[in-house]
Each structure stands twice: as C-alpha cells, then as structure tokens.
Amino acid sequence: MLSYNFKYELKLLLRSRWIQLLSIVLLLLFGFSVYNGMQKVEKRQNDIAAAQQEVKENDAMMLKLLDSVERGMEVSASPWTIPTSPMAVGNYHPRVAAMETQSMSFVSTGQADLFTHYVKPTVAGDDFALNFAEMTSPVQLLFGSFDLAFVIIYLLPLLIIAFSYNVLSSEKESGSLRLLAAQPIGIQNWVLQKLGLRFFWLSVLVIAALIIVFLSLGLNPFAGTTLFFGLLGLILVYMLFWFALAFLVNLWVGSSAKNAVAMLGLWVVFVLLVPSVLNQLGNTIYPMPSRTLMINEMRSLKAEVTKKQDEILDNFLRDHPEYALNDTTQSRGFYHRYMASQKLVKEELSPVVNAYEEQLQKQQHWIGRFKWISPAIIAQESLNHMAGTSTQDYENFRKQVIAFAGTWREHFMPFLYNNQNFSQKDYPNLPSFTYIQKSQSRLSAILLLLGMAIGLFGLGFLVSKKGKHVSILNQG
Amino acid sequence: MIITNNLTKQYGGNTALDHLNLEVKEGEIYCLLGANGAGKTTTINLLLGFIPPSSGSAFINQLDVQENSKATKQFLAYIPENLMLYPNLTALENLDYFSGIAGKTLSKSDLKIVLEEAGLEQEAFENRISTFSKGMRQKVGIAIALAKDAKVLLLDEPTSGLDPKASNEFGLLLQKLRSKGVATLMATHDLFRAKEVATHIGIMKDGQLKQQFVADAISLPELEKAYLNTMEYKELVP
C-alpha cells in the first residue's frame, strides 16, 4: 500500500496545486523572515561596531593627551578628564562589553529587542547592571518579531493544519472512503501513510526552501553544519508533532469543519493559551519585586553611605594596608572615599538584588518545569538558544559583564590608592571584554517533541481501535 | 460465496435488518429489491464489515466477515450508487491505485486490457475521472473488480441515474462477470434491470426478506405485481 500511496499522493498534491502553493508560501515566509532577522542582526552588529569605533577614537585622543602631558605640555581639557588620573580613564574611557551576534542570531529575535547588546562599565557605580534585569517572565517575551522562529512556531502549524485537517474527512465527504474501506487495508494505517507522506513532502519543501533562502541571502547553511542540522531537526520534529495531532483529530473527530475547528482550537491552546497561562501563573506564584522600590532603596543607601565616607575610607584602608604602605603622600581625595564606599554599597545592596534575582530564577524555573505542556514553548526556547537570544544567554551576558566591571574597577584601585598616575605604557594592560557564548544542546528539545509526537500517534491508534466502526461511513 | 445467517442490525429501537438469511452461490446474481429503508444498503454495509451486526453472522467465501474483515475484502469488490474515484487521477491511475492497495500489481498494458474488458473506450483511459460520466465511472468500478479478481461483487443501486444505454452496458458487464463465476449481490429499485440480469431476486420490506424468486421462473409483470403486493401498494396493482 505504501508504494502506491507514495506514488499517487505526490501526483494528487501536484495536480491539486498544493505543492506549488506551499513552495511559494514557504519561500515567501522564509525569505521575508530571514531577511528581517538579518536586518536586526546587522543593526545590532552596527551598534556594537559604532560603540567600539567610538572607544577607539576616544582612546586615540586619550593617548594623544597622555603623550602631551608626559612631554610636559599644557593640555586644554578639564582637569578631572585628563587621563593621567586613573579614575578619568576608568570613567571616561570605558571598554565596550558587547554580546556579539552568533551565526544563527537571525533565526530568532528572542529577547534581543528587549535587552541591550553592549554596555560600558565604568569604575564608578554599577547602575548599568539594572539594564539587564527585566521584570518580565521569559514566556511573555518569547514571541514578537516576524523572524524565522515566528514563522516556524506560529505559521508553519497553520500550514500543516490546512494541509492535513481533512485527509480522512474529505474522503468521507466525497464518498471515496466507501471504496477505500472496501479494500483489504486498515483505514488508520492508510491515514497514517497519507499524513506520513504529506509530512515527508512538506519536510522536503521546508528544507529546500530554507536552503534556497539561505543561499540567496548570502548565508551558507553548511558553514555551521551542526547548527543547521540542529535547526532542521527541530523544525521537523515540531512539524511531526502537528501531523501527529492531525492524525489524532482525523481519526477522532469527523467532518472537515469539525476537524478544522478542533485543529485551530488546539493551535490556540498550544501556541497562545498555554504560554500565556504559564506566564500569568508564574507572575502570580512568584511575583517580582518592584523595580522602582529597588532603585529607591539603592539611592537612599548611597546617600546614607556618602555621609559616612571618611569613616568608610578608614575602614577600607584598614582592610587594605598595602595601599596605605605604598603611598607616601597619603593624599586622599573624593575618589578614594567614593570607591571605598562603593564596596560597602554593593554589600548592603546584595540582599535586595539577590532577592530580585532569586525571584526571577524561581519564576523561570517554574515555567521551565511546565514548558513541556506546549511544544511551541519548547521549540521557541530551543530556537532562542540557537540564536543566542534566550533569557539564559542574556543572563549569562549580564554575569560576564558584572564580572568584567569588577575586573575593570579592580584594575584601577592600585593606581588610585597608591596615588599613581596612568601613563601611555599602562594602556596596553587595560582589561578588555570578550563575550563567551554558552552552547546549549537542542537534543533534549528534539527528543521531547519526538516523544510527544509518538505519544499522539499511539493515542490515535488506540482511539481508532476502540472505535473500530465509528463514522467510517455515512450510514446508508 | 455469500451467506447470511439470521443477520440482524438494530439502531436503538429500530430494526434495520431482521434475521436475514440468504445465500448467493458462485456465478449467481442476486438482486435485492425494496423501497428506501427496506434494509438493502444495511445488508451490503454488514457484508462489507462497515458496521457490526446486532446478531447473526455473515460469511464471504466461508470467512466470517466480523472476524476476518480484512481477509474477506480480498475476495470482494464493491460499487456504490455513486462511485467516487479520485477526480484528479486518470482512469488508468485510479485503477492502478485501487488494485495496487488491494495487493494486485498490474503492468500498464494489463491495466489497459482490464479497462477495455470493463467496456471503457480507449481514448478515455488517460483522461481524468473529473471528466467522466457516472456510467464511465461505474465501468472503472467494474475494472477494479476485474483487476482484483474478485469472487464476490456487492453493488448498491449501481444503475440508478444511468441512461438506458449505460444501464444496458452495465447489465452486460455483470453477465460477463457471472460467466467468470463471480457471485453478485445487487441492491436496486430497478425491477426491469433486476429481471434482466438476476438469477435470483429477493424483495425486502422493513428489514425483512419477504419473498424470493428464481428469476427465470417469474415474468416481469408477475415480479412487478409481487413487488407492489409486498410493498402494500394495493391501488397500483394491475
């Protein structure tokens, strides 16, 4: 039976113009979404490049100033910005801590339109760290841009629904099911083969369309073979889930109209409702602390600390005798007091910041525990990981930037407390930031979706076995 | 070839078929006559295994239909009132598909021979079914039965809506199949065609087989009278 279904299904799909229609639709959707994604990636790259260029120009200026000062020349710049002061370098010549794009960043915007991709941590203050900590649940932020992920998660299931909802019911309604059912075949096997073949042909079209779009937009899909095959694997199992659902609905429901309503209802549930409900529940069970309150608390703490800066500096130097010993002048200015107080501010603030972070983590864990309810969440999360735009990626970036900010600050502490000037020879030793992407395997997502699809196929067979005679025919 | 033993089908409180006992042997054509709702189609659906019986049993080629649903379908061919094939496939392709999924692999030349044997004109072989008349579709149906080498043919009002020529051609095809030993059970309203093609005729009413005749032993007017009497259309009886 399979060889005959294989032979004639393609003929039927070609003659009913399904293949042609799907090819055009897929090429348009993939083409536009990949182009759109690439534009966003390009903008991000340009922003980072512009920031880095600005730093480069500032550095050139700084080196010129240092050279002039070191030659004993007079320079026309505000005294507090002259780079012989380590604090001037630390504050006015920060490095760019950038989250570089990944090779598949165009696939999914993910959280990219909500978080910044570069920051310039200075020695004074760590307000920049607030920029990373969005108060929203990841699921709420999952969808949005017309990118490849949107096409795959939202639109591809709709195409599959249109392509599969009436495989059995159309035969029943046209009357050909009676002739089919009079042959020595199992109707559920026949439906499975038809849907399997449609899955096969749609997969071929999807793969071909993706390769054509990638190549025509100047992307080499085979440059990162693992990533590309990972992307294909994920798309195929996600499609398989929807075909498995169509199998169940075809055997379970009945008329084409009811099947269509049932499939669209399931689409709404899995793609829209479940992510939204999980988000709402996550917010209710683990409500996030108020960001405004947190900022207010930071400000009042800073104000309080400022009043006691002399005392704090004494304590700081007691803790760091090396600075007291190496500095013969023992001249202490604003920055000595300020930097000493920063450590205290950080310590005092850590419970507030930690509480917020813990709550965010709890919320994300809770949502992560139930993500298997919706294949859309699993697929989207996996695509975000692939693109390097997931919540975890931004959290990872935030942690790396905070660590770098500490390194940057610590780099200038000996200069400051030893009252040592910054010079040209110190420039090459300035710390720089390199973002390290943590790779995440897509295998678990692929296996989970595959398991869900197999489960649905199994359920379909169970349903059809139980209701052996149910509605194969319109009774005569 | 076809045997029913007290075959009964009930839907809730309604009895669609009531203890039907009939036998159609090799080379026989049994025509079931009756008004709408008499139980003719229910009999065919039960023989096809489309619906389970409430009681009794049905056998095709000595196999219980309920217990061997798939196996019995290897021996039978079925032509409903409106034979719906795939409109986007040609006659040859439809025949290839349906005989193929039934497990009969035929070459293109064999398929053409079968279509020719079923009376389809050669120029229609490569035409799509969407362009076919009902009579032409019924011929493809017969071709499927021929290709399948069916021992049993179940027909549900196959000549309804056919013009006299097409109906006559269909009758001739049935005789051809009969000569090959095919046992045919045909549900029909058409007394004239029944008298012409059948070896045996049964009249059904309210799910019961009321009368049976050997076709050669009864004339058409007698059959008509028997039918009208069974249906209790007294005012129409000549």
Side-chain angles (χ1 to χ4, degrees), chain A residues 1 4-5 7-8 11-12 15 171 174-176 178-186 190 469 473 475-476, chain B residues 11 41 45 49-52 70 73-74 78 83-86 88-89 93 96-97 100-102 105 128 148:
Chain A
M1 176 167 72
Y4 283 88
N5 274 335
K7 185 175 167 187
Y8 286 106
K11 274 191 183 180
L12 286 168
R15 289 179 189 172
E171 301 282 342
S174 73
S176 51
R178 293 182 75 89
L179 191 60
L180 273 173
Q183 309 308 322
I185 57 169
W190 181 85
H469 298 282
L473 309 168
Q475 300 298 332
Chain B
Y11 295 106
T41 301
N45 283 343
F50 289 175
I51 48 173
K70 234 184 208 180
K73 284 173 188 167
Q74 277 171 345
Y78 166 62
L83 181 65
M84 297 312 293
L85 298 157
Y86 290 106
N88 282 332
L89 295 182
E93 288 168 340
D96 185 35
Y97 179 70
I101 63 168
T105 308
R128 289 194 192 181
K148 208 174 160 183

Side-chain angles (χ1 to χ4, degrees), chain A residues 1-67:
Chain A
M1 176 167 72
L2 182 62
S3 59
Y4 283 88
N5 274 335
F6 186 84
K7 185 175 167 187
Y8 286 106
E9 185 63 8
L10 180 61
K11 274 191 183 180
L12 286 168
L13 291 175
L14 279 167
R15 289 179 189 172
S16 58
R17 307 245 187 280
W18 255 113
I19 297 281
Q20 296 87 325
L21 180 74
L22 279 174
S23 305
I24 294 166
V25 170
L26 286 174
L27 278 172
L28 286 174
L29 288 175
F30 287 163
F32 180 67
S33 61
V34 170
Y35 175 77
N36 210 18
M38 284 171 69
Q39 292 292 105
K40 290 199 169 184
V41 169
E42 201 182 318
K43 187 185 175 298
R44 178 171 152 188
Q45 284 169 335
N46 289 343
D47 288 349
I48 292 171
Q52 279 165 340
Q53 183 60 28
E54 196 187 335
V55 166
K56 214 173 160 187
E57 284 165 12
N58 277 345
D59 280 5
M61 190 67 79
M62 173 179 77
L63 288 169
K64 271 184 194 167
L65 275 173
L66 279 174
D67 186 54

Side-chain angles (χ1 to χ4, degrees), chain B residues 4 35 75 85 108 122 187 194 198 221:
Chain B
T4 66
F75 305 113
L85 298 157
K108 197 171 179 183
Q122 272 195 9

Side-chain angles (χ1 to χ4, degrees), chain A residues 30 33-41 44 101-110 112 142 145-153 210 214 219 227-228 230-232 234-235 379-389 442:
Chain A
F30 287 163
S33 61
V34 170
Y35 175 77
N36 210 18
M38 284 171 69
Q39 292 292 105
K40 290 199 169 184
V41 169
R44 178 171 152 188
T101 57
Q102 304 300 310
S103 59
M104 285 279 183
S105 286
F106 63 90
V107 167
S108 176
T109 306
L142 277 175
S145 304
F146 197 101
D147 51 21
L148 190 58
F150 173 78
V151 172
I152 292 164
I153 309 293
L210 271 180
F214 276 34
L219 297 161
L227 276 175
F228 184 66
L231 173 68
L232 289 185
L234 192 72
I235 296 173
Q380 180 76 58
E381 197 181 58
S382 197
L383 289 172
N384 285 355
H385 285 321
M386 190 183 292
T389 56
R442 278 154 293 283

